[in-house]
Coordinates of all heavy atoms in Angstrom, one line a residue:
A1 N 32.9 152.1 260.0 CA 31.5 151.8 259.8 C 31.2 150.7 258.8 O 30.4 149.8 259.0 CB 30.7 153.1 259.5
L2 N 31.9 150.8 257.7 CA 31.7 149.8 256.6 C 32.2 148.5 257.1 O 31.5 147.5 256.8 CB 32.5 150.3 255.4 CG 32.4 149.4 254.1 CD1 31.0 149.2 253.6 CD2 33.3 149.9 253.0
E3 N 33.4 148.5 257.7 CA 34.0 147.2 258.1 C 33.1 146.5 259.1 O 33.0 145.2 259.1 CB 35.3 147.5 258.8 CG 36.0 146.2 259.3 CD 37.4 146.5 259.9 OE1 37.9 147.6 259.7 OE2 37.9 145.6 260.6
H4 N 32.4 147.2 260.0 CA 31.6 146.6 261.1 C 30.1 146.6 260.8 O 29.3 146.2 261.7 CB 31.9 147.4 262.4 CG 33.3 147.2 262.9 ND1 33.8 146.1 263.5 CD2 34.4 148.1 262.8 CE1 35.0 146.2 263.8 NE2 35.4 147.4 263.4
G5 N 29.7 146.9 259.5 CA 28.4 146.8 259.1 C 27.4 147.8 259.9 O 26.3 147.5 260.1
L6 N 27.9 149.0 260.2 CA 27.1 150.0 260.9 C 26.5 151.0 259.9 O 27.1 151.3 258.8 CB 28.0 150.8 261.8 CG 28.8 150.1 262.9 CD1 29.6 151.0 263.7 CD2 27.9 149.2 263.8
D7 N 25.3 151.5 260.2 CA 24.7 152.6 259.4 C 25.6 153.8 259.7 O 25.8 154.2 260.8 CB 23.3 152.9 259.9 CG 22.3 151.7 259.5 OD1 22.6 151.0 258.6 OD2 21.3 151.6 260.3
C8 N 26.1 154.4 258.6 CA 27.0 155.6 258.7 C 26.2 156.8 258.3 O 25.8 156.9 257.2 CB 28.3 155.4 257.9 SG 29.5 156.7 258.2
I9 N 26.1 157.7 259.3 CA 25.3 158.9 259.1 C 26.3 160.1 259.1 O 26.9 160.4 260.2 CB 24.2 159.1 260.1 CG1 23.3 157.8 260.1 CG2 23.4 160.4 259.9 CD1 22.5 157.7 261.4
I10 N 26.4 160.9 258.0 CA 27.2 162.1 258.0 C 26.4 163.2 258.4 O 25.3 163.5 257.7 CB 27.9 162.3 256.6 CG1 28.6 161.0 256.2 CG2 28.9 163.4 256.7 CD1 29.6 160.5 257.1
A11 N 26.7 163.9 259.4 CA 25.8 165.0 260.0 C 26.6 166.3 260.2 O 27.1 166.6 261.3 CB 25.2 164.5 261.3
P12 N 26.8 167.1 259.1 CA 27.5 168.3 259.3 C 26.7 169.3 260.2 O 25.5 169.5 260.0 CB 27.7 168.9 257.9 CG 27.4 167.7 257.0 CD 26.4 166.9 257.8
A13 N 27.4 169.9 261.2 CA 26.8 170.9 262.1 C 27.8 172.0 262.2 O 28.9 171.8 262.8 CB 26.5 170.2 263.4
P14 N 27.4 173.2 261.7 CA 28.4 174.3 261.6 C 29.1 174.6 262.9 O 30.3 174.8 262.9 CB 27.5 175.5 261.1 CG 26.5 174.9 260.3 CD 26.1 173.6 261.1
S15 N 28.4 174.7 264.0 CA 29.1 175.1 265.3 C 30.0 174.1 265.8 O 30.9 174.4 266.6 CB 28.0 175.6 266.3 OG 27.4 174.5 266.9
F16 N 29.7 172.8 265.5 CA 30.5 171.7 265.9 C 31.7 171.3 265.0 O 32.5 170.5 265.3 CB 29.7 170.5 266.3 CG 28.9 170.7 267.5 CD1 27.6 171.2 267.4 CD2 29.4 170.4 268.7 CE1 26.8 171.4 268.6 CE2 28.6 170.6 269.9 CZ 27.4 171.1 269.8
S17 N 31.7 172.0 263.8 CA 32.8 171.8 262.9 C 34.0 172.6 263.2 O 35.1 172.4 262.7 CB 32.3 172.1 261.4 OG 32.1 173.4 261.3
K18 N 33.8 173.6 264.1 CA 34.9 174.5 264.4 C 35.4 174.3 265.8 O 34.7 174.6 266.8 CB 34.3 176.0 264.2 CG 35.3 177.1 264.2 CD 36.2 177.0 263.0 CE 37.1 178.2 262.8 NZ 37.9 178.2 261.6
D19 N 36.6 173.9 265.8 CA 37.3 173.8 267.1 C 38.5 174.8 267.1 O 38.7 175.4 266.2 CB 37.8 172.3 267.4 CG 38.5 171.7 266.2 OD1 38.9 172.5 265.3 OD2 38.7 170.5 266.2
V20 N 39.1 174.9 268.3 CA 40.2 175.8 268.4 C 41.5 175.1 268.3 O 42.0 174.4 269.3 CB 40.1 176.6 269.8 CG1 41.2 177.6 270.0 CG2 38.7 177.3 269.9
D21 N 42.2 175.3 267.2 CA 43.5 174.6 266.9 C 44.6 175.6 266.7 O 45.7 175.4 267.0 CB 43.4 173.7 265.7 CG 42.7 172.4 266.1 OD1 42.8 172.0 267.2 OD2 42.1 171.8 265.2
C22 N 44.2 176.8 266.1 CA 45.3 177.8 265.7 C 44.9 179.2 266.2 O 43.8 179.4 266.7 CB 45.5 177.7 264.2 SG 44.1 178.1 263.2
M23 N 45.8 180.1 266.0 CA 45.5 181.5 266.4 C 44.3 182.1 265.7 O 43.5 182.9 266.3 CB 46.7 182.4 266.2 CG 47.9 182.0 267.2 SD 47.5 182.2 268.9 CE 47.2 184.0 269.0
E24 N 44.0 181.7 264.5 CA 42.9 182.2 263.8 C 41.6 181.8 264.4 O 40.6 182.5 264.6 CB 42.9 181.8 262.3 CG 44.0 182.5 261.4 CD 45.3 181.9 261.7 OE1 45.5 180.9 262.4 OE2 46.3 182.5 261.1
D25 N 41.6 180.5 264.9 CA 40.4 180.0 265.6 C 40.3 180.7 266.9 O 39.1 181.1 267.3 CB 40.6 178.5 265.9 CG 40.8 177.7 264.6 OD1 40.2 178.1 263.6 OD2 41.5 176.6 264.7
L26 N 41.3 180.9 267.6 CA 41.3 181.6 268.9 C 40.7 183.0 268.8 O 40.0 183.5 269.7 CB 42.7 181.6 269.6 CG 42.8 182.0 271.0 CD1 41.9 181.1 271.9 CD2 44.2 182.0 271.5
A27 N 41.0 183.7 267.7 CA 40.6 185.0 267.5 C 39.1 185.1 267.5 O 38.5 186.2 267.7 CB 41.2 185.7 266.3
E28 N 38.4 184.0 267.1 CA 37.0 184.0 266.9 C 36.2 183.7 268.2 O 35.0 183.8 268.3 CB 36.6 183.0 265.9 CG 37.1 183.3 264.5 CD 36.7 182.3 263.5 OE1 35.9 181.4 263.8 OE2 37.3 182.3 262.3
V29 N 37.0 183.3 269.3 CA 36.4 182.9 270.5 C 35.9 184.2 271.3 O 36.6 185.2 271.2 CB 37.4 182.1 271.4 CG1 36.8 181.8 272.8 CG2 37.7 180.8 270.7
D30 N 34.8 184.1 271.9 CA 34.3 185.2 272.7 C 35.4 185.6 273.8 O 35.7 184.8 274.6 CB 33.0 184.8 273.4 CG 32.3 185.9 274.2 OD1 33.0 186.9 274.5 OD2 31.1 185.8 274.5
P31 N 35.9 186.8 273.8 CA 36.9 187.2 274.7 C 36.5 187.0 276.2 O 37.4 186.8 277.0 CB 37.1 188.7 274.4 CG 36.7 188.9 273.0 CD 35.5 187.9 272.8
K32 N 35.2 187.0 276.5 CA 34.8 186.8 277.9 C 35.1 185.4 278.3 O 35.1 185.1 279.5 CB 33.3 187.0 278.0 CG 32.8 188.5 277.7 CD 31.4 188.7 278.1 CE 30.4 187.9 277.3 NZ 30.4 188.3 275.9
L33 N 35.3 184.5 277.4 CA 35.6 183.1 277.8 C 37.1 182.9 278.1 O 37.5 181.8 278.6 CB 35.2 182.1 276.7 CG 33.7 182.1 276.4 CD1 33.4 181.2 275.2 CD2 32.9 181.6 277.6
L34 N 37.9 183.9 277.8 CA 39.4 183.7 278.0 C 39.9 184.5 279.2 O 39.3 185.5 279.6 CB 40.1 184.3 276.7 CG 39.7 183.6 275.4 CD1 40.5 184.3 274.2 CD2 40.0 182.1 275.4
P35 N 41.0 184.0 279.8 CA 41.6 184.7 280.9 C 41.9 186.1 280.5 O 42.3 186.4 279.3 CB 42.9 183.9 281.2 CG 42.6 182.6 280.6 CD 41.7 182.8 279.4
K36 N 41.8 187.1 281.4 CA 42.0 188.5 281.0 C 43.4 188.8 280.4 O 43.5 189.5 279.5 CB 41.8 189.4 282.3 CG 40.4 189.4 282.8 CD 40.3 190.3 284.0 CE 38.8 190.4 284.5 NZ 38.7 191.2 285.7
S37 N 44.4 188.1 281.0 CA 45.8 188.3 280.5 C 45.9 187.9 279.0 O 46.7 188.4 278.3 CB 46.8 187.6 281.4 OG 46.6 186.2 281.3
L38 N 45.1 186.9 278.6 CA 45.2 186.3 277.3 C 44.3 187.1 276.3 O 44.6 187.3 275.2 CB 44.8 184.9 277.3 CG 44.9 184.1 276.0 CD1 46.3 184.3 275.4 CD2 44.5 182.7 276.1
S39 N 43.1 187.4 276.8 CA 42.1 188.1 275.9 C 42.6 189.4 275.3 O 42.3 189.8 274.2 CB 40.8 188.3 276.6 OG 40.9 189.2 277.7
R40 N 43.5 190.0 276.1 CA 44.1 191.3 275.6 C 45.0 191.0 274.4 O 45.3 191.9 273.6 CB 44.8 192.0 276.7 CG 43.8 192.6 277.7 CD 44.6 193.6 278.6 NE 45.6 192.9 279.4 CZ 45.4 192.5 280.7 NH1 44.2 192.6 281.2 NH2 46.3 191.9 281.3

């Protein structure tokens, strides 16, 4: 942004800060969204 002269807006958003990368993240996912064999 600095290099190209853009207005840089930092916008933290709690639900969009959390993606699924590790098992701890996966444990927080609604089990209904996972295949039955995996949610167990």
Side-chain angles (χ1 to χ4, degrees):
L2 180 62
E3 178 181 345
H4 294 284
L6 306 178
D7 294 333
C8 189
I9 303 164
I10 309 304
S15 73
F16 288 91
S17 71
K18 192 69 172 178
D19 46 16
V20 177
D21 280 333
C22 60
M23 289 301 293
E24 289 79 6
D25 301 331
L26 189 58
E28 298 178 11
V29 175
D30 185 341
K32 296 191 295 294
L33 297 175
L34 301 178
K36 292 181 180 179
S37 62
L38 181 57
S39 62
R40 290 192 294 267

